[in-house]
Amino acid sequence: MTTQLWLMERATQSNDLDGALRHYDTALRTGPASHAILFPILARALDDDQIRAHLAVRLRRNPPWLALFVEHVLTNRQHMANLARTFVLAGTTPPEPGFELLSSAMLEVLVDQRQFEVAREFLAILPRSHARAASSMGFNEASTDARFRPFTWDPLTGSAVGAEFEEGGKALRAFAGSGERAVIMRRYVALPPATYEFAVREEPVEAGPDATRVWKVDCAMRGSDLALAKVDGSLAREPRTTRFTFIVRPGCTYQRISLEVAGGSDQLGLSLLARDLSIKASKRSQII
């Protein structure tokens, strides 16, 4: 590996980026010892536009060290946006099922870091990605595809409080034990400025007298925790459709939709089916 390091340095000094990356590739194939030395250097190098362009060519070939390098960047949570930009330049990610898990983890980190534009570009090049996954607002097979969370509906499941999809993604079952409270589903969307009408059919299976649920729409942009809408309250005893409106104004490019449930003090807790969710621009929409 010492020879490869010398060749890398020589190629870098002569501005031979392709040659330098060829020597990186050769050295990284030698095993874990090289990874500990070279992964941090390669991750920092992603800040350079030209290096990303040259590295994208090599990523298309899916070198044997690629998955481990992605894991390194995920672990350190730095340079994630530039790694995603490199994959976007490559036009794809490896099609192996194991890499789907890494891609999903990358999406999660990018959204947590509020790198929404890069995340959407990365989503678009993922194998088997479907445009409806991010654009369909209801509960359906595309909008509940777990590979593309959190741009699809993202249920959070625990033993005492959580949610899971049923009926092929057409219905959400939410539950909370007595005394439990948590946000059990979220999704990030990119609705253009307009007034929107939200509707969802709620069917209580079991609900104590003080069991509650909260539907909330927030502006997800950095520096903004503005709640666009919040519906909080006890559930009706019979199935009903909950409706509310919210306004997305210019500058709020991305929004977060969430559902929080609380089991209350009664031993029944809460068990709820939600279906027929829709979010549609109002025909009378007018943004000032």
Side-chain angles (χ1 to χ4, degrees), residues 191-276:
L191 299 172
T195 299
Y196 290 89
E197 298 175 351
F198 179 105
V200 63
R201 178 78 171 172
E202 296 177 325
E203 302 173 0
V205 179
E206 289 184 327
D210 56 349
T212 61
R213 57 85 184 90
V214 180
W215 290 98
K216 190 176 180 182
V217 184
D218 297 290
C219 182
M221 303 304 292
R222 187 179 298 277
S224 173
D225 294 316
L226 178 65
L228 306 180
K230 182 177 180 180
V231 173
D232 187 357
S234 300
L235 291 160
R237 290 292 156 281
E238 301 296 328
R240 58 167 290 181
T241 297
T242 295
R243 305 178 188 274
F244 61 87
T245 62
F246 62 94
I247 299 175
V248 175
R249 299 192 182 278
C252 182
T253 311
Y254 290 90
Q255 308 84 37
R256 178 179 55 247
I257 305 168
S258 62
L259 172 61
E260 178 182 303
V261 295
S265 59
D266 191 273
Q267 64 179 358
L268 283 176
L270 171 67
S271 178
L272 168 73
L273 275 176
R275 65 175 78 245
D276 300 331

Coordinates of all heavy atoms in Angstrom, one line a residue, residues 191-276:
L191 N -45.0 20.4 -1.1 CA -46.2 20.9 -1.7 C -45.9 22.4 -2.1 O -45.4 23.2 -1.4 CB -47.3 20.9 -0.7 CG -47.7 19.5 -0.2 CD1 -48.7 19.7 1.0 CD2 -48.3 18.7 -1.3
P192 N -46.3 22.8 -3.4 CA -46.1 24.2 -3.8 C -47.0 25.1 -3.0 O -48.0 24.7 -2.4 CB -46.4 24.1 -5.3 CG -47.3 22.9 -5.4 CD -46.8 21.9 -4.4
P193 N -46.7 26.4 -3.0 CA -47.6 27.4 -2.3 C -49.0 27.3 -2.7 O -49.3 27.3 -3.9 CB -47.0 28.7 -2.7 CG -45.5 28.4 -2.9 CD -45.5 27.1 -3.6
A194 N -49.9 27.1 -1.8 CA -51.4 27.0 -2.0 C -52.1 26.8 -0.7 O -51.4 26.5 0.3 CB -51.7 25.8 -3.0
T195 N -53.4 26.8 -0.7 CA -54.2 26.4 0.4 C -54.6 24.9 0.1 O -55.0 24.6 -1.0 CB -55.5 27.2 0.5 OG1 -55.1 28.6 0.8 CG2 -56.3 26.8 1.7
Y196 N -54.5 24.1 1.1 CA -54.7 22.6 1.0 C -55.8 22.2 1.9 O -56.0 22.7 3.0 CB -53.4 21.9 1.3 CG -52.4 22.1 0.2 CD1 -51.5 23.1 0.3 CD2 -52.3 21.3 -0.9 CE1 -50.5 23.3 -0.7 CE2 -51.4 21.5 -2.0 CZ -50.5 22.5 -1.8 OH -49.6 22.7 -2.8
E197 N -56.5 21.2 1.4 CA -57.5 20.5 2.2 C -57.1 19.1 2.6 O -56.8 18.3 1.7 CB -58.8 20.4 1.4 CG -59.4 21.8 1.1 CD -60.6 21.8 0.2 OE1 -60.9 20.7 -0.3 OE2 -61.2 22.8 0.0
F198 N -57.0 18.8 3.9 CA -56.6 17.5 4.4 C -57.8 16.8 4.9 O -58.7 17.3 5.5 CB -55.6 17.8 5.6 CG -55.1 16.5 6.2 CD1 -53.8 16.1 6.0 CD2 -55.9 15.8 7.1 CE1 -53.3 15.0 6.6 CE2 -55.4 14.6 7.7 CZ -54.1 14.2 7.5
A199 N -57.9 15.5 4.5 CA -59.0 14.7 5.0 C -58.5 13.3 5.3 O -57.6 12.7 4.5 CB -60.1 14.6 4.0
V200 N -59.0 12.6 6.3 CA -58.6 11.3 6.6 C -59.8 10.6 7.4 O -60.4 11.2 8.2 CB -57.3 11.2 7.5 CG1 -57.5 11.9 8.8 CG2 -56.9 9.7 7.7
R201 N -60.1 9.4 7.0 CA -61.1 8.6 7.7 C -60.5 7.9 8.9 O -59.5 7.2 8.8 CB -61.7 7.5 6.7 CG -62.7 6.6 7.2 CD -64.1 7.3 7.3 NE -65.1 6.3 7.6 CZ -66.4 6.7 7.9 NH1 -66.7 8.0 7.9 NH2 -67.3 5.8 8.2
E202 N -61.1 8.1 10.1 CA -60.6 7.6 11.3 C -61.7 6.6 11.9 O -62.8 7.0 12.0 CB -60.3 8.7 12.3 CG -59.2 9.6 11.9 CD -58.9 10.7 12.9 OE1 -59.9 11.2 13.5 OE2 -57.8 11.1 13.0
E203 N -61.2 5.4 12.2 CA -62.1 4.3 12.7 C -61.6 3.8 14.0 O -60.7 3.0 14.0 CB -62.2 3.2 11.6 CG -62.7 3.7 10.3 CD -62.7 2.6 9.2 OE1 -62.3 1.4 9.6 OE2 -63.1 2.8 8.1
P204 N -62.1 4.3 15.1 CA -61.6 3.8 16.4 C -61.9 2.3 16.6 O -63.1 1.9 16.4 CB -62.3 4.7 17.4 CG -62.8 5.9 16.7 CD -63.0 5.4 15.3
V205 N -61.0 1.5 17.0 CA -61.2 0.1 17.3 C -61.4 0.0 18.8 O -62.4 -0.6 19.3 CB -60.0 -0.8 16.9 CG1 -60.3 -2.2 17.3 CG2 -59.8 -0.6 15.4
E206 N -60.5 0.6 19.6 CA -60.7 0.8 21.0 C -60.1 2.1 21.4 O -59.1 2.6 20.8 CB -59.9 -0.3 21.8 CG -60.5 -1.7 21.7 CD -59.7 -2.7 22.6 OE1 -58.5 -2.5 22.7 OE2 -60.4 -3.6 23.1
A207 N -60.8 2.8 22.3 CA -60.3 4.1 22.7 C -60.8 4.5 24.1 O -62.0 4.5 24.3 CB -60.7 5.2 21.7
G208 N -59.9 4.7 25.0 CA -60.3 5.2 26.3 C -60.9 6.6 26.2 O -60.7 7.3 25.2
P209 N -61.6 7.1 27.3 CA -62.2 8.4 27.2 C -61.2 9.6 27.0 O -61.6 10.6 26.4 CB -62.9 8.5 28.5 CG -62.3 7.5 29.4 CD -61.8 6.4 28.5
D210 N -60.0 9.5 27.4 CA -59.0 10.6 27.2 C -57.9 10.2 26.3 O -56.9 10.9 26.2 CB -58.5 11.0 28.6 CG -57.8 9.9 29.3 OD1 -58.0 8.7 28.9 OD2 -57.1 10.2 30.3
A211 N -58.1 9.1 25.4 CA -57.2 8.8 24.4 C -57.3 9.9 23.3 O -58.4 10.4 23.0 CB -57.4 7.4 23.8
T212 N -56.1 10.3 22.7 CA -56.1 11.4 21.8 C -55.2 11.0 20.6 O -54.4 10.1 20.7 CB -55.7 12.7 22.4 OG1 -54.3 12.6 22.8 CG2 -56.6 13.1 23.5
R213 N -55.4 11.8 19.5 CA -54.4 11.8 18.4 C -54.3 13.2 17.9 O -55.1 14.0 18.0 CB -54.9 10.8 17.3 CG -56.3 11.2 16.7 CD -56.3 12.2 15.7 NE -57.6 12.6 15.2 CZ -58.3 13.5 15.7 NH1 -57.9 14.2 16.8 NH2 -59.5 13.8 15.2
V214 N -53.1 13.5 17.4 CA -52.7 14.8 16.9 C -52.2 14.7 15.4 O -51.1 14.0 15.2 CB -51.7 15.5 17.8 CG1 -51.4 16.9 17.2 CG2 -52.1 15.6 19.2
W215 N -52.9 15.3 14.5 CA -52.4 15.4 13.1 C -51.7 16.8 13.0 O -52.3 17.8 13.5 CB -53.5 15.3 12.1 CG -54.1 14.0 11.9 CD1 -55.2 13.5 12.5 CD2 -53.5 12.9 11.1 NE1 -55.5 12.2 12.1 CE2 -54.4 11.8 11.3 CE3 -52.4 12.7 10.3 CZ2 -54.2 10.6 10.6 CZ3 -52.2 11.5 9.7 CH2 -53.1 10.5 9.8
K216 N -50.5 16.9 12.5 CA -49.8 18.1 12.5 C -49.0 18.3 11.1 O -48.5 17.3 10.6 CB -48.8 18.2 13.6 CG -48.2 19.6 13.9 CD -47.3 19.5 15.1 CE -46.6 20.9 15.4 NZ -45.7 20.8 16.5
V217 N -49.1 19.5 10.6 CA -48.3 19.9 9.4 C -47.4 21.0 9.8 O -47.8 22.1 10.3 CB -49.2 20.3 8.2 CG1 -48.4 20.5 7.0 CG2 -50.3 19.2 8.0
D218 N -46.1 20.8 9.6 CA -45.1 21.8 9.9 C -44.3 22.2 8.7 O -44.2 21.5 7.7 CB -44.0 21.3 10.9 CG -44.6 20.9 12.2 OD1 -45.1 21.8 13.0 OD2 -44.7 19.7 12.5
C219 N -43.8 23.5 8.7 CA -42.8 23.9 7.7 C -41.5 23.2 8.1 O -41.0 23.4 9.3 CB -42.7 25.4 7.6 SG -41.5 25.9 6.3
A220 N -40.8 22.5 7.2 CA -39.6 21.7 7.6 C -38.3 22.4 7.3 O -37.3 21.9 7.4 CB -39.7 20.4 6.9
M221 N -38.4 23.7 6.8 CA -37.2 24.3 6.3 C -36.3 24.7 7.5 O -36.8 24.9 8.6 CB -37.5 25.6 5.5 CG -38.4 25.3 4.3 SD -37.7 24.1 3.2 CE -36.3 25.1 2.6
R222 N -35.0 24.8 7.3 CA -34.0 25.1 8.3 C -34.4 26.5 9.0 O -34.6 27.4 8.3 CB -32.6 25.1 7.8 CG -31.5 25.3 8.8 CD -30.1 25.2 8.2 NE -29.9 24.0 7.5 CZ -29.5 22.9 8.1 NH1 -29.3 22.9 9.4 NH2 -29.2 21.8 7.4
G223 N -34.4 26.5 10.3 CA -34.7 27.8 11.0 C -36.1 28.0 11.1 O -36.5 29.1 11.6
S224 N -37.0 27.1 10.7 CA -38.4 27.3 10.8 C -39.1 26.1 11.5 O -38.9 25.0 11.0 CB -39.1 27.5 9.4 OG -40.5 27.6 9.5
D225 N -39.8 26.3 12.6 CA -40.6 25.3 13.2 C -42.0 25.7 13.2 O -42.8 25.4 14.1 CB -40.1 25.1 14.7 CG -38.7 24.6 14.7 OD1 -38.4 23.7 14.0 OD2 -37.9 25.1 15.5
L226 N -42.4 26.4 12.1 CA -43.8 26.9 12.0 C -44.8 25.8 11.8 O -44.6 25.0 10.9 CB -43.8 27.9 10.8 CG -45.2 28.5 10.6 CD1 -45.7 29.4 11.7 CD2 -45.2 29.3 9.3
A227 N -45.8 25.7 12.7 CA -46.8 24.8 12.5 C -47.9 25.3 11.5 O -48.4 26.4 11.8 CB -47.5 24.5 13.9
L228 N -48.1 24.7 10.4 CA -49.0 25.1 9.4 C -50.5 24.7 9.8 O -51.4 25.4 9.5 CB -48.7 24.6 8.1 CG -47.3 24.8 7.6 CD1 -47.1 24.2 6.2 CD2 -47.0 26.3 7.5
A229 N -50.6 23.6 10.5 CA -51.9 23.2 11.0 C -51.7 22.1 12.1 O -50.7 21.4 12.1 CB -52.7 22.6 9.9
K230 N -52.7 22.1 13.0 CA -52.6 21.1 14.1 C -54.0 20.8 14.5 O -54.8 21.7 14.8 CB -51.8 21.6 15.3 CG -51.7 20.7 16.4 CD -50.8 21.3 17.5 CE -50.6 20.3 18.7 NZ -49.8 20.9 19.8
V231 N -54.4 19.5 14.5 CA -55.7 19.0 14.9 C -55.5 18.1 16.1 O -54.9 17.0 15.9 CB -56.4 18.3 13.8 CG1 -57.7 17.7 14.3 CG2 -56.8 19.3 12.7
D232 N -55.9 18.5 17.3 CA -55.6 17.8 18.5 C -57.0 17.6 19.2 O -57.8 18.5 19.3 CB -54.7 18.6 19.4 CG -54.2 17.8 20.6 OD1 -54.7 16.7 20.8 OD2 -53.4 18.4 21.4
G233 N -57.2 16.3 19.7 CA -58.4 16.1 20.4 C -58.8 14.7 20.6 O -58.1 13.8 20.0
S234 N -59.8 14.4 21.4 CA -60.3 13.1 21.6 C -61.0 12.6 20.3 O -61.5 13.4 19.5 CB -61.2 13.0 22.8 OG -60.6 13.5 24.0
L235 N -61.0 11.3 20.2 CA -61.6 10.7 19.0 C -63.1 10.5 19.2 O -63.6 10.3 20.3 CB -61.0 9.3 18.8 CG -59.5 9.3 18.3 CD1 -58.9 8.0 18.5 CD2 -59.5 9.7 16.8
A236 N -63.8 10.7 18.1 CA -65.2 10.3 18.1 C -65.4 8.8 18.4 O -64.5 8.0 18.0 CB -65.9 10.7 16.8
R237 N -66.5 8.5 18.9 CA -66.7 7.0 19.2 C -67.1 6.2 18.0 O -66.9 5.0 17.9 CB -67.9 6.9 20.3 CG -67.5 7.4 21.7 CD -66.4 6.5 22.2 NE -65.6 7.0 23.3 CZ -64.5 7.8 23.1 NH1 -64.2 8.3 21.9 NH2 -63.7 8.1 24.0
E238 N -67.5 6.9 16.9 CA -67.9 6.3 15.7 C -66.9 6.7 14.6 O -66.3 7.8 14.7 CB -69.3 6.6 15.3 CG -70.4 6.2 16.3 CD -70.4 4.7 16.5 OE1 -70.2 4.0 15.6 OE2 -70.7 4.3 17.7
P239 N -66.8 5.9 13.5 CA -65.9 6.3 12.4 C -66.4 7.7 11.9 O -67.6 7.9 11.7 CB -66.2 5.2 11.4 CG -66.6 4.0 12.2 CD -67.4 4.5 13.3
R240 N -65.4 8.5 11.5 CA -65.7 9.8 11.0 C -64.5 10.3 10.1 O -63.4 9.7 10.3 CB -66.0 10.8 12.0 CG -64.9 11.0 13.0 CD -65.1 12.2 13.9 NE -64.9 13.4 13.1 CZ -65.0 14.7 13.6 NH1 -65.3 14.8 14.9 NH2 -64.8 15.7 12.9
T241 N -64.8 11.2 9.3 CA -63.7 11.8 8.5 C -63.3 13.2 9.1 O -64.1 14.0 9.3 CB -64.2 12.1 7.0 OG1 -64.5 10.8 6.4 CG2 -63.1 12.8 6.2
T242 N -62.0 13.2 9.5 CA -61.4 14.5 10.0 C -60.9 15.3 8.9 O -60.2 14.8 8.0 CB -60.3 14.1 11.0 OG1 -60.8 13.4 12.1 CG2 -59.6 15.4 11.5
R243 N -61.3 16.6 8.9 CA -60.9 17.5 7.8 C -60.3 18.8 8.4 O -60.7 19.3 9.5 CB -62.1 17.9 6.9 CG -62.8 16.7 6.3 CD -64.0 17.2 5.5 NE -64.9 16.1 5.1 CZ -64.7 15.4 4.0 NH1 -63.6 15.7 3.2 NH2 -65.4 14.4 3.7
F244 N -59.3 19.4 7.8 CA -58.8 20.7 8.1 C -58.1 21.3 6.9 O -57.7 20.6 5.9 CB -57.9 20.7 9.3 CG -56.6 19.8 9.2 CD1 -55.5 20.3 8.7 CD2 -56.6 18.5 9.6 CE1 -54.3 19.6 8.6 CE2 -55.5 17.7 9.6 CZ -54.3 18.3 9.0
T245 N -57.8 22.6 6.9 CA -57.1 23.2 5.9 C -55.8 23.8 6.4 O -55.7 24.1 7.6 CB -57.9 24.4 5.2 OG1 -58.2 25.3 6.2 CG2 -59.2 23.8 4.7
F246 N -54.8 24.0 5.5 CA -53.6 24.6 5.9 C -53.0 25.4 4.7 O -53.4 25.0 3.5 CB -52.6 23.7 6.5 CG -52.1 22.6 5.5 CD1 -51.0 22.7 4.7 CD2 -52.8 21.4 5.4 CE1 -50.5 21.7 3.9 CE2 -52.4 20.4 4.5 CZ -51.3 20.6 3.8
I247 N -52.2 26.3 4.9 CA -51.6 27.2 3.9 C -50.1 27.0 3.8 O -49.4 27.1 4.8 CB -52.0 28.7 4.1 CG1 -53.5 28.9 4.1 CG2 -51.3 29.5 3.0 CD1 -53.9 30.3 4.4
V248 N -49.6 26.7 2.6 CA -48.2 26.7 2.4 C -47.8 27.9 1.6 O -48.3 28.2 0.5 CB -47.8 25.4 1.5 CG1 -46.3 25.5 1.1 CG2 -48.1 24.1 2.2
R249 N -47.0 28.7 2.3 CA -46.6 30.0 1.7 C -45.2 29.9 1.0 O -44.4 29.0 1.3 CB -46.6 31.1 2.8 CG -47.9 31.3 3.4 CD -48.0 32.6 4.3 NE -49.3 32.7 5.0 CZ -50.3 33.2 4.4 NH1 -50.3 33.6 3.1 NH2 -51.5 33.3 5.0
P250 N -44.9 30.9 0.1 CA -43.6 30.9 -0.6 C -42.5 30.9 0.5 O -42.6 31.5 1.5 CB -43.6 32.2 -1.4 CG -45.1 32.4 -1.6 CD -45.8 31.9 -0.4
G251 N -41.5 30.1 0.2 CA -40.3 30.0 1.2 C -40.4 28.7 2.0 O -39.4 28.3 2.5
C252 N -41.6 28.1 2.1 CA -41.7 26.9 2.8 C -41.8 25.8 1.8 O -42.8 25.2 1.5 CB -43.0 26.9 3.7 SG -43.2 25.4 4.6
T253 N -40.6 25.4 1.3 CA -40.5 24.5 0.1 C -40.8 23.1 0.5 O -41.4 22.3 -0.2 CB -39.1 24.6 -0.5 OG1 -38.8 25.9 -0.7 CG2 -39.0 23.8 -1.8
Y254 N -40.5 22.7 1.8 CA -40.7 21.3 2.2 C -41.5 21.4 3.5 O -41.3 22.2 4.4 CB -39.4 20.6 2.5 CG -38.7 20.3 1.2 CD1 -37.8 21.2 0.6 CD2 -38.9 19.1 0.5 CE1 -37.1 20.9 -0.6 CE2 -38.3 18.8 -0.7 CZ -37.4 19.7 -1.3 OH -36.8 19.5 -2.5
Q255 N -42.4 20.4 3.7 CA -43.2 20.3 4.9 C -43.1 18.9 5.5 O -42.8 17.9 4.8 CB -44.7 20.6 4.5 CG -44.9 21.9 3.7 CD -44.7 21.7 2.2 OE1 -45.1 20.7 1.7 NE2 -44.1 22.7 1.6
R256 N -43.4 18.8 6.8 CA -43.5 17.6 7.5 C -44.9 17.3 8.0 O -45.5 18.2 8.7 CB -42.5 17.6 8.7 CG -42.4 16.4 9.5 CD -41.4 16.5 10.7 NE -41.6 17.6 11.5 CZ -40.8 18.7 11.5 NH1 -39.7 18.7 10.8 NH2 -41.1 19.7 12.3
I257 N -45.4 16.2 7.7 CA -46.7 15.7 8.2 C -46.5 14.7 9.3 O -45.7 13.7 9.0 CB -47.6 15.2 7.1 CG1 -47.7 16.2 5.9 CG2 -49.0 14.8 7.6 CD1 -48.3 15.7 4.7
S258 N -47.2 14.8 10.4 CA -46.9 13.8 11.5 C -48.2 13.4 12.1 O -49.2 14.2 12.1 CB -45.9 14.3 12.5 OG -46.4 15.5 13.1
L259 N -48.2 12.3 12.8 CA -49.3 11.8 13.6 C -48.8 11.4 14.9 O -47.9 10.5 15.0 CB -50.0 10.6 12.9 CG -51.1 9.9 13.7 CD1 -52.3 10.8 14.1 CD2 -51.6 8.7 13.0
E260 N -49.4 11.9 16.0 CA -49.0 11.6 17.4 C -50.2 11.0 18.0 O -51.4 11.4 17.8 CB -48.6 12.8 18.1 CG -48.2 12.6 19.6 CD -47.9 13.8 20.3 OE1 -46.9 14.5 19.9 OE2 -48.5 14.2 21.3
V261 N -50.0 9.9 18.8 CA -51.1 9.3 19.5 C -50.8 9.2 21.0 O -49.6 9.2 21.4 CB -51.5 7.9 19.0 CG1 -52.0 8.0 17.5 CG2 -50.3 7.0 19.1
A262 N -51.9 9.2 21.8 CA -51.7 9.0 23.3 C -52.8 8.1 23.8 O -54.0 8.2 23.4 CB -51.8 10.4 24.0
G263 N -52.4 7.1 24.6 CA -53.3 6.1 25.1 C -54.2 6.6 26.2 O -55.2 5.9 26.5
G264 N -53.9 7.7 26.8 CA -54.7 8.2 27.9 C -54.5 7.3 29.2 O -53.6 6.5 29.3
S265 N -55.3 7.6 30.2 CA -55.2 6.9 31.5 C -56.0 5.6 31.6 O -55.7 4.8 32.5 CB -55.6 7.9 32.6 OG -57.0 8.3 32.4
D266 N -56.9 5.4 30.7 CA -57.8 4.2 30.7 C -57.0 3.0 30.3 O -56.1 3.1 29.4 CB -59.0 4.4 29.9 CG -60.1 3.3 30.1 OD1 -60.0 2.3 29.5 OD2 -60.9 3.5 31.0
Q267 N -57.3 1.8 30.8 CA -56.6 0.6 30.4 C -56.8 0.2 29.0 O -56.0 -0.5 28.4 CB -57.0 -0.5 31.3 CG -58.4 -1.0 31.2 CD -58.7 -2.1 32.2 OE1 -57.9 -2.6 32.9 NE2 -60.0 -2.6 32.2
L268 N -57.9 0.7 28.4 CA -58.1 0.4 26.9 C -57.0 1.0 26.0 O -56.7 0.4 25.0 CB -59.5 1.0 26.5 CG -60.7 0.3 26.9 CD1 -62.0 1.0 26.5 CD2 -60.7 -1.1 26.4
G269 N -56.4 2.1 26.4 CA -55.5 2.7 25.5 C -56.1 3.2 24.3 O -57.3 3.7 24.3
L270 N -55.5 3.0 23.2 CA -56.0 3.5 21.9 C -55.6 2.5 20.8 O -54.4 2.1 20.7 CB -55.4 4.9 21.5 CG -55.7 5.4 20.1 CD1 -57.2 5.7 19.9 CD2 -54.9 6.7 19.8
S271 N -56.6 2.2 19.9 CA -56.3 1.4 18.7 C -57.2 2.1 17.6 O -58.4 2.2 17.8 CB -56.7 -0.1 18.8 OG -56.5 -0.8 17.6
L272 N -56.5 2.5 16.6 CA -57.2 3.3 15.6 C -56.8 2.9 14.2 O -55.6 2.6 13.9 CB -56.8 4.8 15.8 CG -57.1 5.8 14.7 CD1 -58.6 6.1 14.7 CD2 -56.4 7.1 14.9
L273 N -57.8 2.8 13.3 CA -57.5 2.6 11.8 C -57.7 3.9 11.1 O -58.7 4.6 11.3 CB -58.5 1.6 11.2 CG -58.1 0.1 11.4 CD1 -59.2 -0.8 10.8 CD2 -56.7 -0.2 10.7
A274 N -56.7 4.3 10.3 CA -56.9 5.5 9.5 C -56.7 5.1 8.0 O -55.9 4.3 7.6 CB -55.8 6.5 9.8
R275 N -57.6 5.6 7.2 CA -57.6 5.3 5.8 C -58.2 6.4 4.9 O -58.6 7.4 5.5 CB -58.5 4.0 5.5 CG -59.9 4.2 5.8 CD -60.7 2.9 5.4 NE -60.6 1.9 6.4 CZ -60.0 0.7 6.2 NH1 -59.5 0.4 5.0 NH2 -60.0 -0.2 7.1
D276 N -58.1 6.3 3.6 CA -58.6 7.3 2.7 C -58.1 8.7 3.0 O -58.8 9.7 2.9 CB -60.2 7.3 2.8 CG -60.8 6.0 2.4 OD1 -60.2 5.3 1.6 OD2 -61.9 5.7 2.9

